C-alpha cells in the first residue's frame, strides 16, 4: 500500500525529474537565442534563483520527513489540485514561447514579444505558475514553513527578476503588454 508520504515523495521526484528536463530544454533554447544574436541580462540574480529553486524540493522533503508532517486531508488534496493547475499553466506558457523559452533573460534583437497562449491575458504566466507551485507543493503534505519561507523569498526574487526582464525587453514589450496585468487576469465587466 502506498502511504501519503510515499506518494508525496514520488510526486516530488517527478517534479525534480521535470526540472532536469526543463533545464536541458532551456540550455538548448538559450544556445539558439545566442546564435541569433541574443543578449543576456540578469546574471547576478539568476544564481540566486537557481539556488532557491534547487533548495525548494529539498526543503519540502526535509520538513515533511524531519518534522513528521502529517497529510492534511482535504487541504492536501486542494493543494495538489493547485499544484497541477500550476504545472498546466507552466507548460502552456512554455509551449506558447516555443524555442524562445529558457530560464535566463535573453533578448534576441528584432523579435516581437509573444502575445499568444496565456500571454493574451498576463505578462508573466510562468511566474504565476511558480508562485502557485511554491505555495501549493509543500502544503500537499503539510509543509507550511517551506511554503511560507520559499513564497516570501520568491516574492523578493521576482521583484528583481521582473524589473530586469521588462527592462531588457524594452519598448516593444511595454507596448505589447501595456493593457495586460502582471499576475491576475482582469475579469471583463458588463
Amino acid at each position: 500500500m502506498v502511504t501519503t508520504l510515499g506518494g508525496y515523495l514520488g510526486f516530488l521526484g517527478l517534479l525534480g525529474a521535470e526540472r532536469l528536463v526543463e533545464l536541458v530544454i532551456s540550455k538548448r533554447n538559450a544556445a539558439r537565442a545566442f546564435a541569433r544574436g541574443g543578449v543576456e541580462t540578469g546574471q547576478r540574480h539568476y544564481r540566486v534563483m537557481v539556488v532557491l529553486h534547487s533548495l525548494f524540493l529539498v526543503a519540502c522533503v526535509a520538513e515533511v520527513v524531519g518534522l513528521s508532517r502529517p497529510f492534511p486531508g482535504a487541504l492536501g488534496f486542494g493543494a495538489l489540485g493547485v499544484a497541477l493547475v500550476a504545472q498546466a499553466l507552466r507548460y502552456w506558457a512554455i509551449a506558447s514561447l516555443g524555442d524562445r523559452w529558457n530560464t535566463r533573460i535573453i533578448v534576441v534583437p528584432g523579435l516581437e514579444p509573444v502575445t499568444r497562449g496565456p500571454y493574451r491575458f498576463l505578462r508573466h504566466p510562468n511566474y504565476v505558475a511558480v508562485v502557485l507551485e511554491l505555495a501549493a507543493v509543500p502544503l500537499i503534505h503539510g509543509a507550511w514553513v517551506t511554503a511560507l519561507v520559499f513564497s516570501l523569498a520568491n516574492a523578493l526574487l521576482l521583484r528583481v527578476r521582473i524589473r530586469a526582464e521588462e527592462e531588457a525587453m524594452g519598448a516593444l514589450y511595454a507596448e505589447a503588454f501595456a493593457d495586460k496585468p502582471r499576475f491576475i487576469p482582469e475579469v471583463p465587466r458588463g
Side-chain angles (χ1 to χ4, degrees), residues 25 28-30 32-33 36 94-102:
I25 293 168
R28 180 196 67 207
N29 290 346
R32 288 178 178 166
R36 291 183 290 199
I94 290 171
S96 297
L97 290 172
D99 71 353
R100 291 167 67 176
W101 175 83
N102 67 76

Side-chain angles (χ1 to χ4, degrees), residues 10 15 27 33 53 55 66-67 86 102 117 122 129 144-145 159 174 183-184 187 189:
L15 280 180
K27 187 174 182 177
H53 288 260
L55 291 177
L67 298 178
N102 67 76
L122 296 170
W144 63 270
V145 172
R159 283 183 53 124
F183 294 112
I184 301 173
V187 177
R189 295 177 197 207

Side-chain angles (χ1 to χ4, degrees), residues 22-36 38 91-108 111-112 114 116 119:
E22 287 175 4
L23 289 175
V24 169
I25 293 168
S26 174
K27 187 174 182 177
R28 180 196 67 207
N29 290 346
R32 288 178 178 166
F34 287 131
R36 291 183 290 199
Y91 283 100
W92 189 18
I94 290 171
S96 297
L97 290 172
D99 71 353
R100 291 167 67 176
W101 175 83
N102 67 76
T103 60
R104 299 178 174 275
I105 300 173
I106 304 171
V107 177
V108 177
L111 287 182
E112 295 285 325
V114 172
R116 64 184 171 274
Y119 295 92

